[in-house]
Amino acid sequence: MHPLIQEHIPLKLYTTFGIGGVARYFAEANSIEHFLELYSWGITNRQKIFVLGMGSNVVFPDEGYDGLVIRYTAKRFTFQQNIAVVETALSLSALILEAEKINLGGMERLFGIPGSVGGAIYNNAGAHGTEISKFVESALVFEVPREVELDTMRLLDPSNLTIPKPKIVDPGYFKFGYRNSLLHSNRAIVLSTTLKLKERSGEEIKKVREDIAFWRREKQPVGKSAGSFFKNPSLNMSAGYLLDQVGAKGMQEGGIMVSDKHANFLLNTGKGTFTDLMKLSERLAHLVEEKFQVKLEREVEFVQ
Ligand SMILES: Cc1cc2nc3c(=O)[nH]c(=O)nc-3n(C[C@H](O)[C@H](O)[C@H](O)COP(=O)(O)OP(=O)(O)OC[C@H]3O[C@@H](n4cnc5c(N)ncnc54)[C@H](O)[C@@H]3O)c2cc1C
C-alpha cells in the first residue's frame, strides 16, 4: 500500500458539518506529485476516488466512503506582479490576506468563505456580488480518466496502467455558472491556478475585508454547517427567504436543526447524522414546493 494511505478514517473530522462515517482508505496529498501517486494507486487498486478540499461544502453518508478519499493539501503560492500563482488547497481567506500584504486585492469580498481555492473554483464560490470565476486566469487541471479508457488499458497492458498528465487550461474551460462549473460533471481536479488581482491599497482592502467579516458575524450562525444549504432559486429570490416563510427556523430532525438566525443554515447540534440531514432537508424542500411551487436545489454536495 502507498505509505501515505491510512485505513478506516472518520470523515466527520474533515468536514465542517462534522457528520459521516469512515473512509475505507484516506490520504493527504501535500504536493502535486503525491496527489498523482495516490490517484494512480486508487486506479491500480480499482478504488473509487473522492478528492476533498477543506470539506466546507460536502457531507458524507453515515456508511462512509467505500473507496479512497484524497484530501488535497498542497498550498504553496507566490505572486508575479498582480498575478497570484497558487496550489489550490490554499484557503481562499489566507490568499486574500497574503495578497493584501502586498497591496493586491479584488477578491476581498470573498473573505470568510471557509474553503480552499480549488473548492471555490469547483463551485464558482461567490459572495457580495463577486465570484472566484472573475479572477481565474489559467489552471493546471488533472482530468480523471474515463472508466472505458481504464478498462481498455487493463485489457491491453495491465502492468502499465497510466494516468493522464495534468494540463493547463484557460478560464473558458470551466464553463462557470451560478455555484457551478464543468468540474461538477467531469470531476477534473484543479491542482494549481493563476488568479489576476488588482493593485489597491492594503488599507482599502482591509476595510472591505473587515466589513465583510462583520457582516458574516452578524448574519450567519456559528456552528457546524456547510454554509447555505440550498441554492437561491433565482437572482431575486433567496432560498433563506422562502424557508423563513414556511417557518423553517428552529425545525429539527434528530441532531440536525435549522438555525434560528438564518433559515438556509442547517446545523449539526453535535450528534447529527446524515440520515437526520436527509430527512430535514427533504422536509424543508417539500414545504417550500408546496407553498411556492419552487423546487429548491441543494448547494451542499452529498458524496456518493
Ligand atoms: C460558514 C460557511 C459559509 C459559507 N459561505 C459561502 C459563501 O458565502 N459563498 C459560497 O460560494 N460558499 C460558501 N460556503 C460553502 C463553501 O465554503 C464553498 O463552496 C467552498 O468553496 C468549498 O471549498 P472546500 O475547499 O471546502 O471544498 P470541499 O467541501 O472540500 O469540496 C467541495 C467540492 O469541491 C471539489 N474540490 C475540492 N478541491 C478541489 C480541487 N482542487 N479541484 C477540483 N475540485 C475540488 C470536491 O471534490 C467537492 O466536490 C460556506 C460554507 C460555510 C461552512
Side-chain angles (χ1 to χ4, degrees), residues 51 53-57 88 114 116 120 122 125-126 179 187 190 216 227 301:
V51 178
M54 290 171 69
S56 64
N57 206 46
T88 52
S116 63
Y122 174 88
R179 300 295 170 273
R187 302 301 309 183
V190 190
R216 282 190 183 267
E301 181 180 348

Side-chain angles (χ1 to χ4, degrees), residues 99-114:
E100 179 185 311
K101 289 183 194 163
I102 53 167
N103 298 319
L104 288 177
M107 291 190 10
E108 50 277 13
R109 279 179 289 156
L110 302 179
F111 188 75
I113 296 179

Side-chain angles (χ1 to χ4, degrees), residues 197-268:
L197 306 179
K198 296 189 180 98
E199 283 171 25
R200 201 168 270 182
S201 94
E203 275 307 305
E204 222 178 290
I205 299 167
K206 183 168 175 237
K207 167 87 180 65
V208 176
R209 165 178 61 78
E210 285 180 346
D211 287 351
I212 297 290
F214 178 76
W215 179 92
R216 282 190 183 267
R217 278 197 301 276
E218 287 289 295
K219 302 279 180 205
Q220 296 186 343
V222 186
K224 293 182 177 180
S225 81
S228 295
F229 190 84
F230 294 104
K231 292 183 186 181
N232 291 330
S234 69
L235 262 183
N236 44 18
M237 193 193 284
S238 87
Y241 170 80
L242 299 178
L243 288 162
D244 213 1
Q245 295 305 303
V246 299
K249 281 182 181 160
M251 277 187 192
Q252 185 152 3
E253 192 72 58
I256 306 287
M257 70 175 290
V258 181
S259 156
D260 289 326
K261 199 169 181 180
H262 192 314
N264 197 18
F265 267 61
L266 275 58
L267 301 172
N268 178 2

Side-chain angles (χ1 to χ4, degrees), residues 32-299:
I32 293 176
E33 292 71 23
H34 280 157
F35 174 84
L36 295 172
E37 277 173 33
L38 289 164
Y39 210 98
S40 217
W41 182 91
I43 281 178
T44 309
N45 291 281
R46 289 179 175 262
Q47 295 298 315
K48 60 175 187 166
I49 303 171
F50 185 80
V51 178
L52 190 61
M54 290 171 69
S56 64
N57 206 46
V58 293
V59 178
F60 289 95
D62 298 326
E63 305 76 57
Y65 189 78
D66 189 16
L68 169 65
V69 173
I70 304 176
R71 183 165 180 254
Y72 190 50
T73 58
K75 45 180 86 131
R76 289 176 307 167
F77 65 91
T78 183
F79 293 96
Q80 288 171 356
Q81 281 96 36
N82 64 335
I83 303 284
V85 184
V86 305
E87 287 179 335
T88 52
L90 183 66
S91 102
L92 202 52
S93 295
L95 171 63
I96 292 165
L97 289 174
E98 290 297 335
E100 179 185 311
K101 289 183 194 163
I102 53 167
N103 298 319
L104 288 177
M107 291 190 10
E108 50 277 13
R109 279 179 289 156
L110 302 179
F111 188 75
I113 296 179
S116 63
V117 171
I121 294 178
Y122 174 88
N123 234 8
N124 190 15
H128 305 280
T130 196
E131 293 170 327
I132 187 97
S133 53
K134 299 204 169 142
F135 305 93
V136 175
E137 278 277 290
S138 69
L140 181 68
V141 162
F142 170 73
E143 282 188 333
V144 174
R146 290 179 305 147
E147 256 329 294
V148 54
E149 288 164 350
L150 290 171
D151 284 344
T152 312
M153 280 193 276
R154 281 182 185 119
L155 266 175
L156 299 179
D157 192 7
S159 57
N160 257 329
L161 270 187
T162 52
I163 55 168
K165 281 203 164 66
K167 66 177 190 186
I168 293 175
V169 298
D170 58 31
Y173 171 88
F174 292 105
K175 299 189 168 53
F176 286 117
Y178 168 59
R179 300 295 170 273
N180 200 7
S181 74
L182 174 73
L183 306 179
H184 284 229
S185 50
N186 78 353
R187 302 301 309 183
I189 302 304
V190 190
L191 299 169
S192 61
T193 185
T194 61
L195 301 156
K196 190 171 181 184
L197 306 179
K198 296 189 180 98
E199 283 171 25
R200 201 168 270 182
S201 94
E203 275 307 305
E204 222 178 290
I205 299 167
K206 183 168 175 237
K207 167 87 180 65
V208 176
R209 165 178 61 78
E210 285 180 346
D211 287 351
I212 297 290
F214 178 76
W215 179 92
R216 282 190 183 267
R217 278 197 301 276
E218 287 289 295
K219 302 279 180 205
Q220 296 186 343
V222 186
K224 293 182 177 180
S225 81
S228 295
F229 190 84
F230 294 104
K231 292 183 186 181
N232 291 330
S234 69
L235 262 183
N236 44 18
M237 193 193 284
S238 87
Y241 170 80
L242 299 178
L243 288 162
D244 213 1
Q245 295 305 303
V246 299
K249 281 182 181 160
M251 277 187 192
Q252 185 152 3
E253 192 72 58
I256 306 287
M257 70 175 290
V258 181
S259 156
D260 289 326
K261 199 169 181 180
H262 192 314
N264 197 18
F265 267 61
L266 275 58
L267 301 172
N268 178 2
T269 59
K271 293 220 162 65
T273 63
F274 181 77
T275 311
D276 298 337
L277 181 63
M278 283 275 283
K279 280 191 191 154
L280 184 58
S281 59
E282 279 169 10
R283 190 165 131 209
L284 294 170
H286 180 71
L287 287 171
V288 167
E289 187 166 6
E290 216 172 42
K291 182 156 183 172
F292 297 105
Q293 291 74 54
V294 170
K295 269 190 193 302
L296 288 181
E297 208 183 306
R298 269 198 321 266
E299 182 171 326

